[in-house]
Amino acid sequence: MSYNWDLIERLLLEVQDSSGKNFAPRVYAEELAGEKANQGETVGNVDSLKKEAGDLEGVLLQGGFIEPRPEELGGNGVNFILTERGMRLLDLLDSDGPDPQGARSQLDAKGEAALVPEVFDSLAA
C-alpha cells in the first residue's frame, strides 16, 4: 500500500495553521479534491478520500507526527501542532521543494511502514 502523500502534505500544512480552529481532515480532503479537479487531475471517489483523511489523522497522531496543541499555543482540544517528526515529514513532502518525487518514492518503497516512527526516522536521517 502507498499513502496519498498529497493528502498527507495538505493535512500537515493545515495542522501548521490550526491555532484557534478545529482540525477538519475531511473538509481538507474535499478541498484538495476540488483543487485537483480544477487542475484537470483525476480525483476518484471524494467520499473515500474524506474517509482516508480521517484515518490519516489517527496515523499521524499515533506515529508522533502531530500532537494536541497546548492551550497556551491556541489549543482548543481539537487542533494539533507538528512535532519535530511531522516537520521532517512535511519537509520531505514539500511539493515546492527540490525533489518531492524522490522523497515520496523512498517513502512508497517502505509501504505502510513508511509512517512507523522507527522506519520513518531512519529514512529521514
Side-chain angles (χ1 to χ4, degrees):
M1 177 205 151
S2 174
Y3 286 105
N4 182 333
W5 299 116
D6 288 340
L7 180 56
I8 291 173
E9 179 182 19
R10 178 60 172 266
L11 295 176
L12 293 174
L13 287 169
E14 293 293 343
V15 164
Q16 270 188 327
D17 191 35
S18 68
S19 179
K21 67 178 184 177
N22 295 354
F23 183 69
R26 294 174 185 269
V27 171
Y28 308 139
E30 191 168 13
E31 291 171 354
L32 180 64
E35 292 165 12
K36 288 188 169 289
N38 287 339
Q39 296 170 356
E41 294 183 41
T42 304
V43 176
N45 185 318
V46 175
D47 288 333
S48 293
L49 188 65
K50 289 165 60 174
K51 181 189 179 318
E52 183 180 359
D55 294 343
L56 284 170
E57 177 183 358
V59 170
L60 294 171
L61 187 59
Q62 289 177 332
F65 296 92
I66 62 175
E67 62 186 27
R69 182 178 291 273
E71 269 186 54
E72 61 273 11
L73 296 176
N76 60 13
V78 288
N79 58 4
F80 303 98
I81 59 172
L82 290 178
T83 63
E84 188 76 30
R85 182 178 290 134
M87 286 185 268
R88 287 195 320 261
L89 177 57
L90 184 56
D91 286 344
L92 285 174
L93 297 178
D94 184 1
S95 51
D96 294 328
D99 186 21
Q101 293 310 326
R104 290 172 186 216
S105 294
Q106 288 180 344
L107 290 165
D108 279 342
K110 298 294 182 183
E112 284 188 35
L115 296 181
V116 171
E118 300 78 20
V119 173
F120 176 79
D121 290 346
S122 68
L123 186 68

